[in-house]
Structures are given as structure tokens and as C-alpha cells.
Amino acid sequence: MIRYKTRGDFVTMESLKRYVLLSLFLFSIANPLSASVTHYSIPEEMKEGSVVANLATDLTLDIKTLNQRKMRLDIIANKKYLDVNKETGELYVVEKIDREHICNTKSSCYIKLEVILESPLRIFNIEIEILDMNDNAPQFRRDAIHLDISEVTPRGERFSLSNAVDPDVGSNSVKTYHLSESEYFNIEVQTGRDGSKFAELILTKTLDREQQAVHNLILTAVDGGTPARSGTASVIVHILDTNDNPPTFDKENLSVNLMENSPIGSLVVHLNATDLDEGSNSDISYSYSLYTSEKTQETFNLNPATGEVTVKGMLNYEDFRIYDMEVIATDKGATSLTGQCTIKILVEDMNDNHPEISIKSFQSPVTENIELETVIAVVSVSDKDSGDNGIVDLHVPDNMPFKLRESSDNYYELVVSEPLDREKVPEYDITFTVTDRGSPPLSDNETMTLELLDVNDNVPQFPQSFYTIRVMENNAPGALLSSLTAFDPDLHENQYLVYFIIEKEIANTSMSMLFSINPENGNLYALKTFDYEIEKEFLFHIEARDSGSPPLSSNVTVHIIIVDQNDNAPVIVSPWRAQGSVVEEKIPRSTDKGSLVAKVIALDTDSVHNSRITYQFLQVTDATLFSLDQYNGEIRTMRMFSYRDPRHQRLVVVAKDNGEPALSATVTIKLTTMETAVKAYSDMTEEPLEYDIFSDINLYLVIGLGSVSFLLLITILVTIVIKCQKPKPSKAAPPSRNSVISERNSTIADSTLVSNDAYWYSLFLAETRKGKLVVRQPLPKGSRYIVSSIPRGTGLTDTSDSAASTLQYPK
């Protein structure tokens, strides 16, 4: 028994359903291998996962037992496009089904399945009908269909066209054809024995290849689906030619004028005949007709392939003046067609006498400053011919500063029309050209050379208006710095140049004392050795003067820049020490990690690049105890002192500049640790460091304090002596302070320095560690400061002015 099911509903009636189910049940009991077929119909191209039917419901199976009975689905002789859900019993699409791929062009398409269950064994046959959808457009076997049709083909002639193929079947296959609009062609749709549709092309109007050689048509095939699909192909109709057009000349009657004495081979006329046909039907040959005289054929040659008529014999106006000829053009078709042309050749008299020119007067050379309208030459012209052939015209080149002025019949004067400049054009080749008015015109010419004499009208010129010359310091006296050469376009003595240095004094020194220039070639020399640290640049002028009358001159600015060499080694100014001596410093043994021990300051008088200084340890007793900042020279502790560390630490610091090669200076610092607790102060303050004398009583402390007290006492006595010898200072300065400004930059102990802000912080640290008080006071102009170091305990705080009013802190 067969059950039909569409995609959603049963085809059988509800009353019949109970009967069918009961019959299936009884039949399955009697025969477990059931031969009944359940039929379903689905369209092709259903989406994956789409449900076709519920097999459990349709086959009256218990959903709960499907897994236990090992329900499976076998597809007979096909790819597995469908599968069954064992949980729900639904038959669903696993992969899209392409009907054309499975059944090709068959009118009906089925997929057969077997549903197999065990315990007890049951087999159900399922048949799925795949319904066709219009998912394919008609397609021609070739994109372009070429047809060759003769232009004499009669109307109503039919031509077969390739048919289109549509993989779909039934109403979705090709239904009809359409042709693009054409006044020459139409189509008629025919039906083949197998029901396929094809089209025939019908000629509806007589063709003419000369009007249109190719017809481009579009053939469209349309199927019967909804919506309809279509495919197109190009129909290209080539019209084949027939010899139905005779050759035609551009002009059937020609008149040609030809001068006598024309050379043999000269072209008289180029005849051109055209044929609208193609191929051999349009190939043309030229020939004389029987009406052309032998004299004409002997005098002129006709090229049968090109139609060119050329001179074959000598032409003489006095012997023969008019020639008549008739030329025939014939094509090469099967039935030849012809066209003809009549030509009249008129021989004209020739202008065979050349005009003559005569130079009566010519003035050369002349000075380049000659006045305008001055007469340079007088010229006469003549021609033996008559009429227009005897009328002559005289002219000179337009690009020259001269013009012709007619003085009398056939006499002309050449005059200056523009200012002359020998430096631009030293001489002129003036060509006098005389031409008659014949046809063709004849001419003659004469060339004269005009030389120009120089005058001193150009000043010397330097290639540059400003020269920058870089000179390395420590140069050798007499060294060549540069060659400053000027150019004067004049000639002879007007061109000879002399060079001078325009006198200018700098710091009571004349430029001629520093530099020298060769008056003949402009070579500039240095007369002394320059030192960048003293003289950095010079600015002066050099003059170039010619030897003309009157002489002309010009000058140029020269900027000499002295380039620095690394010829100065760094000088260590802090901590100060005598030449070759060791700097001794004392620091508490309880100094914290990161504390500033000392600061090395070095100066280099070279330029910024060469004077850039970096610091590094050359020798150090314990590399783990101290660190050195390579840029500012600060020496700090990397950790606290331990009882194992030696009491004496030796540090050798090298200060190296940035020159090439680098120069350096070294300082040796001997650090001695003391068992004295020091009250901590910030390294950035300017307040004095006060030591706690009674923090730890031991022998070393007593000895240290005694030494410091002795040194302080000596310092106080020296200060009192100096104070008594000097006038009483103003209230603005402390009474015990040394007011003398020392220019010794190499010392900072017990003296006053002229200091900039760069020294202030370093000097403060260096002096306060020695137990001294540092004071900074600005000079009257405010550009520098007086920095003083005063031993502690000198009675500064006991003066009438407080310490706060004496100390000058940096701003």
C-alpha cells in the first residue's frame, strides 16, 4: 500500500487514516519485512535542516523506542541527502538537493529510502519525489553565433540558429525566443520532435553590404518558470560582397597647370578612384583610353596601380602648351566594371632668371656703443625678368638688431635698430636675401660679417654675493683659505682684474694684518694662526676692480668662521688641589646610602661639542661603596659603611671631554671615615652642617675635634687680621667676610670666587663638607655672583646684622 504525503499534510482523508494504520499494523505483524511504500514530495534546493515528514507518526512508531530499536536510514544508490532524528522521528534534509544533478533531464525524479528498525526487525520503504524548481536559466552552447549571408540573398530566406538548453524540465524548460529589434531580420520559433524549442532567422529586407557590412543581433531564450529566467547569445551576421559598384573618380574632369622644364619624374597629378565593394571587387587598375594621343602618352607616364601621372619627357612652353588625356579605372571583379576621368594639362612659362645683389658699402668693425640709426651698409638689387618675375624684395633676418631702409629705386641702407652688446653677441653674420615675385620665386643672398669692438661697460661679477669660509684653528700662517675669483665679460684691459681687501679694523687690528689676498688671482691667505677661544669669526669685504678707463669695480662680503679644535684639556676646578696633590676629605662613618660625598667639576674652554665633559672612576678602593654620575660628577654612597670597610678610601676620577681625540684630566680623592655622628641635612640646602660633638666620646673623636678646632682658630685669626687691614665694610656684608674678588678660578678654599649659577650648588657642597659657611652675593650688574667661604665660628652670627640678612640664596 502507498501513502502520499506532501510537505505538511496527508493526501488521504482522516476517515481513511485509521483504516490504513490498522492495515499497516496487521500487515507488519504478519510480515516484518514490509513491502509497502510511503511516498513524499518535496521541492529541490530545500535548506539544510528542513523537516520533510515525521516518520514515527506516519509509520505509527513509538518515538520512545526509536533509539532502543536502533532506527537507521539507508539511501538506495544515492548520496545521503536525508537523515532521521531518532529523538523526534522527523525526516530532515542533511544537504541541499539539486534535482538536475541527481536525475539530469528525466521528467520525474525520486530518492528511495529504507527505514530499518530492530527488535523486532522492520523495514519501511520510503520514496521521496524531488519536484523541479526553476533554478536554472536557459544557456546557449556558444556565446556568439556567426552567420555569413550574401548581399544578394532574397527576402524570406531562413537560417538555422543554435538552440538554448535549460536543465530544468516541464514548464521550467525553454519556452520561446526573442530577437533584438532589426529592420532586416526576424525569427520564428519551432518545436522539435522531442518538444524542444529552437529558432530560425528570417531575412525580411534586401541587404546592402556597402550600407552596413555587419549586423549585430541579440537572441534571447526564455523559459516558462515563474518568475521566468532567460539567457542570451550574440548573432553576428557578416554580409558577403558582390561586384555591384563601379569605380568612381573624385572628379571626372581635371585641369592641371604645369611649369615648363619640370624635371622628369615630377608628379603631375595623383588620380584616385574608389570602389565601394571589397576584396578583389574593389581592386582598381588605371590605363589610358583609346582617345589619348601618342604625344601625350610619350610625355606623361601613368602608374596603373597608384594612378600617379608623372613627367616622362621634356616640357617646353614654346613647343606644346596643352595636353589632353582620358584615364579609365577598372576593378577586378568577375564581371569588371569601369569609370573614367578627363584631364587637361596646361604648361606655364617658367621664371628662369635669378635676381642679383650688390654690396656698395659696408662698415666693419664698429664699437658696441654705436648710436641707433647709424648706417652700416648700402646695397643695390636687380632682376632681368619682366612682370612679377622682375619685381624683387630685399630683407635681412628678423632676429638681428638691424633693419633695411629704402633710399631710392632698388637701393637700400642697413641701419642699427637696437642697442648692441659685444658680451652677448661679439659679431653678426648679416645675410642679405633678395627674392623675386615669380612662381616659383627665385632668390639670391650675400653674407657679410660685422665685428663689434669692446668698451668697458661691465663691472666685475663674483659668483656669490656672500662667502662663508670655515678655517680650522691652529692653522699655519700663510695657509690658503679660498679663491675668490670674479669674472668680467669685457675684453683686454677692460677684463684684467685686481683684488683688494677693504680696510676694516677689529679690536684695533686691521684686516690686512690678519688676511692677505693675491691681487692677480683672488687667492685669500691667513697671515696668522687663529685661536678659537680668542677669535671666533671675522667679517670684511673684498673688492675686484678692472683696468678699464674709467675702471669699474664690485665687492663681496667674506665671513670667516674659526672652527674649534679639541686643543684644550679639561681643568678640574672642584675639588681644588695643588698641582699633583691628593684631595683629602673626611666623612662620618654613619653616612647614609645615597649621601653626597663629593662633586667633581671640570671646565673645558673649547666649543660646546668639544667641551662636553663626562666623569668616570679610573680607580676606586671599593667599587660597591661609591657611585659617580657621569654627567654632573657627583660621588654618592651606594650603601652604608660597615666595620669591614677600610678607614681610608682612594678614588681616582677622570674627566674626559667630547673631542676627537678626547682629552682628559684626573683628580685623586682620599676619603677618611670618622666615627662621628653627623646631623643630617639635605644636600640641596645652604645652611651649615653642625656636628654633634658629644654623640660618641672616643679617642678618634677627640683628636678630630681638636684638629678642627685648631684649624678654625687659625682661620679666625687670619680673618681678623684681614679685617683690620681693610676699610670697614658696609652693613650689607658680614664684618668678617673677605670682600676681595679673586679671579683665580682654580681655588675655592678660604677665598671669594666670581661664580655663575652652574658653580653655586657644587661650591656649596664642597665647602660645607669642610665645615665652612658659603655665602653668595650678586655683583652690581646682576650677571655674576660673589661666592665666599667662611670658616665656622668666626663670629658671623654675633655681628650687628643677622645671618639671614648676610646669606644670599640662589633664586
Side-chain angles (χ1 to χ4, degrees):
M1 180 183 136
I2 298 177
R3 167 168 288 175
Y4 289 91
K5 176 127 173 59
T6 62
R7 196 176 170 190
D9 302 316
F10 288 109
V11 177
T12 59
M13 295 181 296
E14 186 66 26
S15 59
L16 187 60
K17 182 177 180 181
R18 296 187 186 93
Y19 174 77
V20 172
L21 291 176
L22 180 59
S23 299
L24 287 172
F25 177 73
L26 295 175
F27 183 79
S28 62
I29 293 173
N31 185 10
L33 302 178
S34 176
S36 63
V37 178
T38 303
H39 184 89
Y40 298 98
S41 297
I42 62 172
E44 64 174 329
E45 303 293 339
M46 285 183 68
K47 292 182 180 180
E48 296 176 3
S50 300
V51 177
V52 176
N54 193 314
L55 295 179
T57 302
D58 296 343
L59 301 177
T60 64
L61 300 174
D62 187 0
I63 296 176
K64 298 178 182 180
T65 62
L66 297 180
N67 276 326
Q68 297 175 358
R69 299 184 64 182
K70 298 180 181 180
M71 183 180 185
R72 66 180 183 273
L73 184 68
D74 288 342
I75 300 178
I76 301 174
N78 276 296
K79 187 177 179 181
K80 190 173 183 179
Y81 292 100
L82 302 166
D83 203 351
V84 62
N85 189 330
K86 297 178 182 179
E87 300 295 334
T88 61
E90 292 177 337
L91 181 66
Y92 63 93
V93 177
V94 175
E95 184 179 338
K96 281 187 178 182
I97 301 173
D98 186 354
R99 182 188 179 282
E100 289 74 28
H101 177 71
I102 296 174
C103 300
N104 202 357
T105 58
K106 294 180 181 179
S107 59
S108 59
C109 183
Y110 294 93
I111 296 177
K112 295 182 179 182
L113 312 174
E114 287 184 351
V115 178
I116 303 172
L117 293 94
E118 297 181 1
S119 301
L121 177 64
R122 295 289 302 278
I123 298 176
F124 297 94
N125 294 321
I126 308 296
E127 190 176 69
I128 307 295
E129 181 182 6
I130 308 303
L131 302 178
D132 182 46
M133 293 181 63
N134 191 24
D135 56 344
N136 293 282
Q139 187 174 7
F140 288 90
R141 293 183 178 85
R142 292 178 294 175
D143 294 333
I145 303 171
H146 293 270
L147 294 176
D148 294 332
I149 302 176
S150 174
E151 64 178 325
V152 295
T153 302
R155 290 184 299 171
E157 190 74 18
R158 293 173 177 263
F159 304 91
S160 298
L161 299 176
S162 298
N163 63 319
V165 177
D166 193 329
D168 295 325
V169 297
S171 61
N172 293 330
S173 62
V174 177
K175 182 179 180 181
T176 186
Y177 293 87
H178 299 290
L179 186 68
S180 59
E181 184 177 354
S182 173
E183 61 177 315
Y184 292 94
F185 297 98
N186 200 352
I187 61 169
E188 185 175 297
V189 180
Q190 303 288 344
T191 302
R193 295 179 180 179
D194 57 352
S196 62
K197 302 287 185 179
F198 62 92
E200 289 185 342
L201 186 68
I202 302 174
L203 180 63
T204 59
K205 185 179 179 180
T206 302
L207 300 173
D208 189 347
R209 191 205 62 80
E210 287 70 35
Q211 292 183 1
Q212 188 173 352
V214 178
H215 295 263
N216 293 301
L217 308 174
I218 301 297
L219 180 63
T220 304
V222 182
D223 62 21
T226 303
R229 292 177 177 268
S230 62
T232 61
S234 298
V235 179
I236 303 173
V237 181
H238 299 273
I239 309 303
L240 302 179
D241 182 53
T242 57
N243 191 22
D244 56 348
N245 292 280
T248 57
F249 286 91
D250 297 337
K251 293 182 179 179
E252 294 183 356
N253 295 286
L254 289 176
S255 179
V256 179
N257 295 326
L258 186 63
M259 296 300 300
E260 65 172 331
N261 298 328
S262 294
I264 295 175
S266 299
L267 180 65
V268 178
V269 65
H270 187 179
L271 300 176
N272 183 36
T274 57
D275 193 320
L276 298 178
D277 295 325
E278 66 176 1
S280 61
N281 297 329
S282 64
D283 293 339
I284 298 173
S285 63
Y286 301 89
S287 61
Y288 287 119
S289 72
L290 298 176
Y291 300 102
T292 303
S293 66
E294 291 185 3
K295 174 67 176 177
T296 300
Q297 295 185 33
E298 292 175 356
T299 307
F300 300 97
N301 180 59
L302 174 63
N303 190 316
T306 63
E308 291 182 347
V309 178
T310 56
V311 177
K312 184 178 181 181
M314 294 298 298
L315 296 175
N316 194 330
Y317 175 79
E318 290 72 24
D319 294 340
F320 217 90
R321 300 183 180 182
I322 300 176
Y323 294 89
D324 292 314
M325 66 176 65
E326 187 178 71
V327 177
I328 296 174
T330 306
D331 64 26
K332 297 180 181 180
T335 303
S336 299
L337 300 178
T338 62
Q340 64 183 20
C341 175
T342 301
I343 305 166
K344 184 183 291 291
I345 299 176
L346 304 175
V347 179
E348 296 182 349
D349 189 21
M350 185 178 180
N351 181 27
D352 51 359
N353 289 291
H354 290 264
E356 297 178 355
I357 183 170
S358 175
I359 306 297
K360 301 300 181 181
S361 172
F362 189 80
Q363 182 182 355
S364 178
V366 297
T367 59
E368 62 177 320
N369 60 348
I370 188 172
E371 295 183 358
L372 301 180
E373 300 296 327
T374 302
V375 177
I376 301 297
V378 178
V379 182
S380 67
V381 294
S382 61
D383 194 317
K384 296 179 181 179
D385 291 325
S386 61
D388 289 342
N389 296 332
I391 300 175
V392 295
D393 297 308
L394 180 67
H395 63 87
V396 293
D398 295 334
N399 59 350
M400 289 189 175
F402 308 102
K403 66 180 180 180
L404 289 171
R405 186 171 60 193
E406 188 173 3
S407 59
S408 60
D409 290 343
N410 295 331
Y411 276 82
Y412 296 88
E413 294 178 345
L414 181 69
V415 298
V416 180
S417 61
E418 298 177 12
L420 305 181
D421 189 347
R422 189 207 62 81
E423 287 71 34
K424 292 182 179 178
V425 183
E427 65 179 19
Y428 292 91
D429 291 328
I430 305 172
T431 300
F432 298 90
T433 303
V434 59
T435 306
D436 63 23
R437 299 183 184 179
S439 179
L442 299 179
S443 64
D444 194 9
N445 60 72
E446 185 77 23
T447 299
M448 303 295 292
T449 300
L450 176 65
E451 297 181 4
L452 300 183
L453 299 178
D454 182 54
V455 295
N456 191 27
D457 57 348
N458 290 279
V459 298
Q461 299 174 357
F462 285 93
Q464 302 172 216
S465 61
F466 189 91
Y467 286 87
T468 299
I469 303 173
R470 298 182 179 272
V471 180
M472 188 69 68
E473 67 169 331
N474 303 320
N475 60 293
L480 176 64
L481 304 183
S482 181
S483 182
L484 309 177
T485 305
F487 171 74
D488 193 323
D490 293 325
L491 288 179
H492 308 303
E493 67 274 3
N494 299 330
Q495 187 185 34
Y496 299 147
L497 302 180
V498 181
Y499 299 91
F500 306 91
I501 294 179
I502 299 177
E503 287 297 332
K504 177 183 178 182
E505 290 190 358
I506 298 178
N508 297 326
T509 302
S510 173
M511 285 294 102
S512 59
M513 302 292 291
L514 303 176
F515 303 97
S516 173
I517 190 168
N518 189 318
E520 295 182 357
N521 57 25
N523 288 345
L524 183 64
Y525 300 91
L527 297 180
K528 59 167 290 186
T529 300
F530 297 107
D531 189 348
Y532 171 83
E533 287 71 33
I534 300 175
E535 302 155 321
K536 291 183 172 55
E537 62 180 356
F538 301 95
L539 192 68
F540 56 92
H541 300 281
I542 290 178
E543 179 180 306
R545 184 184 305 164
D546 63 25
S547 302
S549 179
L552 301 177
S553 64
S554 64
N555 60 69
V556 66
T557 302
V558 178
H559 184 201
I560 303 293
I561 298 176
I562 308 302
V563 180
D564 181 48
Q565 280 186 336
N566 191 29
D567 55 348
N568 291 280
V571 177
I572 296 178
V573 299
S574 177
W576 180 87
R577 84 278 188 224
Q579 183 67 26
S581 62
V582 177
V583 177
E584 294 186 1
E585 296 284 352
K586 296 180 180 180
I587 59 173
R589 198 170 186 85
S590 59
T591 301
D592 292 334
K593 175 184 177 181
S595 298
L596 182 64
V597 174
K599 180 178 177 72
V600 179
I601 299 177
L603 292 180
D604 193 321
T605 57
D606 288 323
S607 63
V608 176
H609 177 76
N610 292 328
S611 64
R612 192 175 302 146
I613 296 176
T614 56
Y615 304 88
Q616 63 185 42
F617 281 129
L618 194 60
Q619 293 180 10
V620 59
T621 304
D622 189 347
T624 65
L625 189 54
F626 301 100
S627 66
L628 172 62
D629 191 303
Q630 64 172 336
Y631 299 110
N632 59 25
E634 291 182 353
I635 302 175
R636 296 181 179 271
T637 56
M638 296 174 63
R639 58 178 175 81
M640 293 187 67
F641 290 95
S642 68
Y643 69 92
R644 296 180 180 177
D645 294 327
R647 183 166 174 265
H648 299 287
Q649 299 284 338
R650 185 172 182 272
L651 310 177
V652 179
V653 179
V654 59
K656 187 183 297 183
D657 62 21
N658 197 39
E660 186 63 36
L663 302 178
S664 63
T666 60
V667 61
T668 302
I669 303 174
K670 181 179 180 183
L671 295 178
T672 304
T673 57
M674 301 183 302
E675 299 295 336
T676 304
V678 182
K679 184 177 179 180
Y681 281 87
S682 170
D683 290 331
M684 297 301 295
T685 182
E686 292 187 6
E687 295 199 7
L689 298 174
E690 298 181 1
Y691 300 99
D692 187 357
I693 301 175
F694 305 103
S695 61
D696 188 10
I697 305 299
N698 52 54
L699 179 60
Y700 295 106
L701 179 60
V702 172
I703 295 173
L705 290 177
S707 300
V708 172
S709 300
F710 177 73
L711 292 173
L712 289 177
L713 181 59
I714 292 176
T715 304
I716 292 170
L717 292 176
V718 173
T719 304
I720 293 173
V721 171
I722 294 174
K723 180 179 179 182
C724 292
Q725 292 177 354
K726 298 295 180 179
K728 185 177 180 179
S730 62
K731 292 183 180 181
S736 60
R737 180 178 174 184
N738 187 355
S739 60
V740 178
I741 301 177
S742 174
E743 293 297 335
R744 287 190 304 122
N745 291 334
S746 62
T747 178
I748 60 174
D750 301 330
S751 64
T752 302
L753 300 177
V754 176
S755 173
N756 293 325
D757 287 336
Y759 275 125
W760 173 236
Y761 178 63
S762 302
L763 295 179
F764 164 73
L765 292 175
E767 295 302 285
T768 52
R769 289 198 175 279
K770 296 180 179 180
K772 298 178 183 181
L773 183 65
V774 180
V775 179
R776 187 175 75 160
Q777 183 177 9
L779 289 175
K781 292 184 179 180
S783 62
R784 297 189 298 175
Y785 292 89
I786 302 175
V787 180
S788 301
S789 61
I790 304 173
R792 298 185 185 277
T794 57
L796 178 63
T797 57
D798 298 330
T799 60
S800 57
D801 296 322
S802 65
S805 63
T806 302
L807 291 173
Q808 303 295 325
Y809 291 93
K811 298 177 182 180

